[in-house]
């Protein structure tokens, strides 16, 4: 297994922590995240005369920044680049590179075409000659993703070409630059909903401002295979109560969890890990004696018991701790003990929400801001262990809490869409509790 620089950094960290590493450099079993998913990723970039060489060079740097977040290798992500104007030109085919450095060198050396803008022809070319090649169609299942980057209105039809691509299970993102490209054309190119698959910036100088957003969206597409019914646009994410069959048991015991249903193998929950940014939401009631106990509301453990993700509730000191991976140590923790968190322990219904981003985490209770803290850079999580709910610290005993919702949303913007309303209304699962608003 050929590993990228990002993956090698993770290997060094794991080695320093004393965990097992294959000296031959083979992949770590159970390590999952955006960098490790099997993707065929194609960038279809506008090379027409309206750009000019400086803007084209900016676009190439943007591609380099985005692809640096993926492990470029035969097993994981393969990247193709198609440049187009009057006619498309295959700059980089899928399957060419074994590491990120080779890919970066090839992107850097791409020369500018110039000419007219025929986006529809370029999309069809990518469908037939990038994704449609025999060495790609015979591969084991891989995500098929294309990003169309353009600054001008197409001089041919894009809708039929985009429909054909989507029919071949190719997910299309459309990125528009400047005011010459119409939003309606971008929408006709991209998958639905447009709020997820269409991006627009003012000019090429601004495109650097969305590279992390583009990387997040590509990661969501890679690691979040399921959608949550009933959410706005059926948001991608993980409904843990449903995935862990907690709902079925909760109905029998009026919302309390039973130990045999509070633990499940992580690959069944997070088959490809988690994206770098996500939203954790729990609607819960900490009744006596749970409101004074210390327990993990959620924990994702590696095979050797190291916490990969955890939300720990501590009734004794009225605090909540978030745990995740780190590039600097085995795990990192941040503690939220602001007075706004303390209402969580008053035995009534509450919504606990974390907005997790690559460098910071923000806590909310009942939709109200509590506190924000910094995070170190993280590494992919191990999914070779268990995912557990409402467990006492370091043991398998289940804590009797009443739980109405437990979800992880892959889109960080879901934090703004979903807020807690006044308590005391019927919730989604028929239990008395705070109603969840959707806008």
């Amino acid at each position: 297994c050929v590993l990228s620089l990002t993956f090698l950094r993770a290997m060094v960290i794991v080695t320093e922590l004393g965990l097992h590493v294959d000296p031959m450099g083979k992949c770590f079993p159970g390590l999952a995240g955006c960098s490790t998913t099997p993707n065929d990723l194609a960038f279809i970039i506008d090379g027409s005369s309206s750009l000019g060489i400086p803007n084209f060079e900016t676009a190439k740097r943007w591609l380099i920044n985005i692809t640096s977040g993926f492990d470029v290798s035969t097993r994981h992500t393969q990247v193709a680049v198609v440049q187009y104007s009057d006619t498309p030109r295959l700059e980089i085919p899928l399957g060419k590179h074994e590491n990120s450095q080779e890919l970066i060198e090839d992107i850097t050396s791409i020369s500018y075409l110039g000419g007219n803008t025929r986006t529809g022809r370029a999309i069809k070319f990518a469908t037939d000659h990038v994704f449609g090649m025999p060495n790609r169609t015979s591969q084991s299942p891989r995500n098929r993703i294309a990003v169309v980057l353009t600054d001008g209105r197409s001089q041919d039809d894009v809708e039929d070409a985009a429909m054909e691509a989507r029919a071949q299970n190719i997910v299309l993102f459309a990125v528009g630059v400047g005011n010459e490209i119409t939003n309606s054309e971008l929408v006709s190119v991209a998958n639905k909903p447009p709020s997820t698959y269409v991006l627009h910036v003012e000019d090429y100088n601004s495109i650097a401002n969305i590279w992390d957003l583009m990387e997040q969206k590509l990661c969501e597409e890679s690691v979040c295979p399921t959608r949550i019914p009933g959410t706005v646009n059926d948001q991608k994410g993980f409904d843990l109560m449903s995935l862990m069959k907690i709902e079925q048991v909760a109905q029998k015991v009026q919302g309390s969890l039973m130990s045999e249903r509070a633990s499940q193998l992580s690959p069944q929950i997070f088959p490809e890990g988690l994206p770098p940014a996500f939203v954790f939401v729990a609607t819960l009631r900490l009744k006596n004696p749970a409101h004074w106990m210390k327990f993990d509301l959620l924990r994702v453990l590696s095979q050797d018991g190291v916490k990969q993700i955890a939300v720990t509730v501590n009734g004794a000191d009225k605090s909540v701790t978030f745990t995740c991976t780190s590039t600097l140590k085995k795990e990192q923790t941040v503690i939220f003990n602001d007075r706004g968190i303390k209402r969580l322990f008053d035995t009534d219904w509450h919504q606990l929400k974390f907005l997790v981003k690559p460098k910071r985490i923000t806590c909310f209770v009942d939709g109200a801001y509590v506190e924000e803290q910094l995070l170190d850079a993280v590494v992919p999580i191990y999914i070779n262990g268990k995912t557990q709910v409402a467990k006492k610290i370091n043991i398998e005993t289940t804590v009797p809490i009443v739980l109405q919702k437990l979800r992880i949303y892959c889109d960080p913007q879901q934090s703004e869409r979903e807020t807690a309303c006044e308590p005391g209304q019927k919730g989604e699962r028929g239990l008395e509790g705070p109603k969840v608003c959707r806008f």
Side-chain angles (χ1 to χ4, degrees):
C1 177
V2 180
L3 303 177
S4 70
L5 182 59
T6 302
F7 215 75
L8 287 171
R9 288 196 191 105
M11 184 166 69
V12 170
I13 293 159
V14 174
T15 305
E16 290 175 347
L17 295 175
L19 303 178
H20 173 72
V21 177
D22 191 318
M24 299 303 292
K26 293 183 179 180
C27 297
F28 305 118
L31 195 63
C34 301
S35 61
T36 65
T37 52
N39 298 312
D40 277 351
L41 175 59
F43 290 93
I44 305 169
I45 60 172
D46 190 342
S48 62
S49 297
S50 58
L51 273 79
I53 292 177
N55 285 337
F56 186 72
E57 293 299 315
T58 300
K60 292 196 304 183
R61 288 193 295 272
W62 187 70
L63 299 192
I64 290 170
N65 283 333
I66 292 171
T67 55
S68 64
F70 293 87
D71 177 37
V72 176
S73 64
T74 303
R75 175 171 175 164
H76 300 131
T77 296
Q78 281 292 300
V79 176
V81 178
V82 173
Q83 183 188 179
Y84 73 94
S85 55
D86 292 283
T87 58
R89 185 171 74 188
L90 181 59
E91 305 287 3
I92 300 173
L94 290 172
K96 180 179 181 181
H97 298 112
E98 291 292 331
N99 59 69
S100 295
Q101 188 56 44
E102 292 176 359
L103 173 64
I104 290 170
E105 291 172 359
D106 271 8
I107 292 175
T108 303
S109 66
I110 295 174
S111 60
Y112 174 51
L113 274 174
N116 293 308
T117 306
R118 302 193 183 278
T119 308
R121 181 181 293 182
I123 295 171
K124 179 166 176 45
F125 178 87
T127 301
D128 295 340
H129 300 286
V130 176
F131 295 102
M133 298 302 288
N135 67 326
R136 307 324 295 172
T137 55
S138 60
Q139 292 266 326
S140 57
R142 300 172 67 85
N143 299 309
R144 311 176 91 200
I145 306 169
V147 178
V148 179
L149 175 64
T150 181
D151 79 335
R153 187 175 300 180
S154 181
Q155 293 164 299
D156 63 357
D157 177 68
V158 298
E159 194 163 353
D160 288 347
M163 287 178 62
E164 182 181 346
R166 290 192 291 270
Q168 299 298 320
N169 295 319
I170 300 169
V171 174
L172 286 169
F173 287 88
V175 182
V177 182
N179 55 17
E180 294 298 319
I181 179 69
T182 64
N183 186 68
S184 60
E185 182 171 309
L186 295 173
V187 170
S188 66
V189 167
N191 277 52
K192 290 179 174 53
S195 59
T196 298
Y197 296 99
V198 173
L199 289 81
H200 192 274
V201 291
E202 184 177 341
D203 52 38
Y204 277 94
N205 291 328
S206 305
I207 199 170
N209 298 334
I210 63 165
W211 76 263
D212 53 346
L213 176 60
M214 187 75 251
E215 184 179 6
Q216 168 72 19
K217 287 182 177 292
L218 291 174
C219 187
E220 289 173 25
E221 203 61 41
S222 302
V223 306
C224 300
T226 58
R227 295 185 179 273
I228 301 176
T231 57
V232 176
N233 295 323
D234 287 341
Q235 289 294 313
K236 286 198 165 194
F238 307 91
D239 187 342
L240 299 173
M241 292 187 69
S242 176
L243 291 169
M244 299 180 72
K245 307 295 190 296
I246 293 172
E247 295 169 300
Q248 298 174 10
V249 178
Q251 293 171 0
K252 298 177 183 177
V253 295
Q254 298 179 346
S256 298
L257 306 185
M258 296 179 65
S259 59
E260 62 266 29
R261 290 296 190 186
S263 182
Q264 197 158 331
L265 295 176
S266 292
Q268 299 171 4
I269 310 297
F270 309 108
E272 299 293 346
L274 286 169
F278 58 86
V279 180
F280 168 88
V281 178
T283 305
L284 73 166
R285 188 179 185 184
L286 301 178
K287 300 174 70 174
N288 186 38
H291 73 297
W292 55 263
M293 299 173 70
K294 184 177 182 180
F295 64 94
D296 291 323
L297 175 60
L298 171 70
R299 66 188 182 205
V300 180
L301 303 175
S302 65
Q303 193 172 37
D304 54 358
V306 177
K307 289 181 178 178
Q308 305 299 291
I309 294 287
V311 176
T312 305
V313 176
N314 189 339
D317 63 9
K318 304 295 187 289
S319 68
V320 177
T321 300
F322 180 83
T323 304
C324 62
T325 62
S326 170
T327 57
L328 304 177
K329 48 194 173 184
K330 184 180 294 188
E331 61 185 40
Q332 61 177 316
T333 60
V334 290
I335 300 175
F336 295 90
N337 54 13
D338 184 87
R339 64 181 183 179
I341 203 78
K342 300 187 186 305
R343 76 182 82 132
L344 195 66
F345 302 90
D346 64 7
T347 72
D348 206 345
W349 279 102
H350 293 285
Q351 183 200 69
L352 173 66
K353 180 171 67 178
F354 286 115
L355 171 58
V356 183
K357 292 190 174 183
K359 295 182 180 180
R360 66 184 185 275
I361 176 172
T362 309
C363 177
F364 303 84
V365 173
D366 299 334
Y369 171 87
V370 173
E371 194 177 353
E372 180 176 281
Q373 297 206 38
L374 297 178
L375 289 174
D376 298 328
V378 301
V379 294
I381 66 172
Y382 278 94
I383 58 166
N384 55 4
K386 295 179 180 179
T387 295
Q388 300 180 318
V389 171
K391 293 289 187 180
K392 286 186 177 180
I393 302 297
N394 299 324
I395 58 176
E396 295 290 317
T397 304
T398 299
V399 175
I401 66 171
V402 188
L403 195 60
Q404 188 186 81
K405 173 182 285 188
L406 191 65
R407 290 177 178 173
I408 291 178
Y409 295 102
C410 294
D411 183 359
Q413 293 181 351
Q414 183 67 17
S415 177
E416 301 174 8
R417 301 186 190 107
E418 185 165 347
T419 58
C421 291
E422 64 278 4
Q425 300 185 42
K426 285 285 185 180
E428 292 178 354
R429 306 182 193 280
L431 300 172
E432 292 293 338
K435 179 182 177 183
V436 176
C437 303
R438 289 195 176 85
F439 303 96

